[in-house]
Amino acid sequence: ELKQPQNYGAYYIPGKLYMTNSRYTGKVIITRADTANKIVSGIFTFKAVHGKDTVTVTNGRFDVGTF
C-alpha cells in the first residue's frame, strides 16, 4: 500500500514557525541535475501558516550536493 509522502515547507522567525499543510501548500521545481558533480538545483515557493498568521515564500532557490 502506497502512502502519501509527509513533506512540508517551513519558515522560521524568532518565536514563530510557519508550516505548510493541506490548505497552505507550495511547489519545488528541479531545474538542474548535475550527475558529474552530484549537485541538484531548484527553485521553490510556498504559503505557510502559524495560528492565524500566514506567510508567502517566493523565489526560493537551492543547490544540494552529493545526491
Side-chain angles (χ1 to χ4, degrees):
E1 175 183 333
L2 295 175
K3 294 184 179 182
Q4 182 67 25
Q6 299 297 312
N7 299 312
Y8 300 95
Y11 176 75
Y12 178 75
I13 58 173
K16 288 187 180 182
L17 176 61
Y18 293 83
M19 295 287 297
T20 59
N21 58 30
S22 61
R23 183 175 175 196
Y24 297 93
T25 64
K27 64 182 173 179
V28 174
I29 299 171
I30 303 298
T31 58
R32 182 174 178 208
D34 182 342
T35 57
N37 294 305
K38 298 184 178 181
I39 298 171
V40 173
S41 302
I43 56 175
F44 62 90
T45 183
F46 65 90
K47 290 184 180 181
V49 63
H50 173 85
K52 293 182 180 182
D53 296 332
T54 61
V55 65
T56 301
V57 176
T58 60
N59 299 319
R61 182 181 182 286
F62 64 90
D63 296 291
V64 179
T66 312
F67 64 91

